[in-house]
Amino acid sequence: MENVRAILLMIAAMAGFALEDMFIKSVAERLPAGQILIILGVGGGAIFALWARAQGHSVFNRTILAPTVLLRNAGEAIGTMGFVLAITLTPLAEASAILQATPLAVTLGAALFLGEAVGWRRWGAILVGFCGVLLIIRPGLDGFQPASLFAVQGVIGLAIRDIATRIVPKDIPTTQLSSYGFVMVVPVGFVMLAFQQPPAMPNAWEASQLGLGLVIGVVAYYAITAAMRIGDVAVVTPFRYTRLIFALIIGYFVFSETPDQTTLIGAAIIIASGLFTLYRERKAAVARRRALSTMGPAV
């Protein structure tokens, strides 16, 4: 039942993030991305801080200095900055397609830094998946957009966040962890503003878009954090790919974006590689459990 709950939370989170991306992209035509991050970071951090207090948890204490929490916050800052810049400067579907490589990057990171055993088939799938990313970005070709590299930065940062989330102590509440994540993007927003156009006062329409994006983003953020903490990674992670479906729908109907064939092929390669990697992970886990169950007591 925990896996079922985690799957539903993951799908809801992906739909929410796609809607949040839509609102961010809508207001980014006039407001700088740094200002948007500051607004979302302050608002989201305040909401989760109040939520944590309502649950009887302290908001800021020594847990914020735990190495895994610091690592998670750093990944959050790197990933959020990269992806927000990507969706404001490139087509939504393209940025979302590149983001689908995050599970492959998580597998790679788990193998390199957490000592997880990865066989040659999964290494091959990771390599093929990253080739799909290159197919979308098309470096050195006419269709290359340098801004698409921000989506790659988003993949790296969010992979760090997700790996760290798995090893954060279980006694740290999700609301507290989420509050830290939102607050972390505020200084990133100020740094970005130093290199962007001056901030502007949002008009009524922009304020409503930011408000809706904030509320939906907070709910989605809580959902994905909870899903990654309560569910089996191999079961839950495939449902991350539903975000691309939502992004394609929004891109087509809201922004009149139609991804080209190369982008769709690259996205299909990334998703197929990710699903194969997860299949191999699950198969390996089942084999380990069977081996343990057939072992007799030591004599």
Side-chain angles (χ1 to χ4, degrees), residues 13-29:
M14 294 303 102
F17 283 135
L19 288 172
E20 181 187 29
D21 295 343
M22 177 187 72
F23 292 126
I24 291 174
K25 191 173 182 66
S26 296
V27 300
E29 295 179 0

Side-chain angles (χ1 to χ4, degrees), residues 100-296:
Q100 304 314 304
T102 301
L104 295 173
V106 170
T107 300
L108 176 64
L112 294 177
F113 303 110
L114 300 183
E116 181 177 316
V118 176
W120 67 270
R121 293 181 181 86
R122 278 191 281 170
W123 282 116
I126 291 171
L127 179 61
V128 171
F130 289 149
C131 286
V133 173
L134 291 176
L135 194 60
I136 296 173
I137 297 175
R138 284 164 270 190
L141 300 179
D142 292 339
F144 173 61
Q145 297 185 64
S148 62
L149 294 176
F150 286 121
V152 177
Q153 175 187 331
V155 169
I156 295 171
L158 296 180
I160 294 172
R161 182 197 68 183
D162 288 352
I163 293 170
T165 298
R166 298 301 300 178
I167 56 177
V168 164
K170 296 292 186 181
D171 59 341
I172 299 180
T174 296
T175 49
Q176 188 180 57
L177 202 60
S178 301
S179 178
Y180 295 161
F182 267 94
V183 170
M184 192 64 192
V185 304
V186 175
V188 174
F190 279 109
V191 172
M192 290 170 61
L193 274 180
F195 302 94
Q196 295 179 325
Q197 67 193 59
M201 178 64 67
N203 56 37
W205 181 83
E206 291 166 339
S208 66
Q209 298 291 292
L210 287 171
L212 287 170
L214 175 61
V215 172
I216 294 174
V218 164
V219 174
Y221 193 96
Y222 179 86
I224 192 174
T225 303
M228 293 299 294
R229 299 187 79 182
I230 69 175
D232 182 353
V233 175
V235 174
V236 175
T237 303
F239 292 90
R240 279 181 173 273
Y241 298 119
T242 56
R243 180 171 185 167
L244 181 56
I245 297 174
F246 296 126
L248 286 169
I249 294 172
I250 291 172
Y252 182 79
F253 287 103
V254 179
F255 300 108
S256 300
E257 297 175 354
T258 303
D260 59 25
Q261 187 177 22
T262 305
T263 297
L264 293 176
I265 292 173
I269 291 174
I270 294 170
I271 292 174
S273 301
L275 291 175
F276 178 78
T277 301
L278 292 166
Y279 164 74
R280 294 299 306 177
E281 287 177 0
R282 187 161 182 80
K283 189 173 181 179
V286 170
R288 286 194 297 268
R289 286 197 295 267
R290 286 178 178 173
L292 290 172
S293 65
T294 56
M295 292 175 60

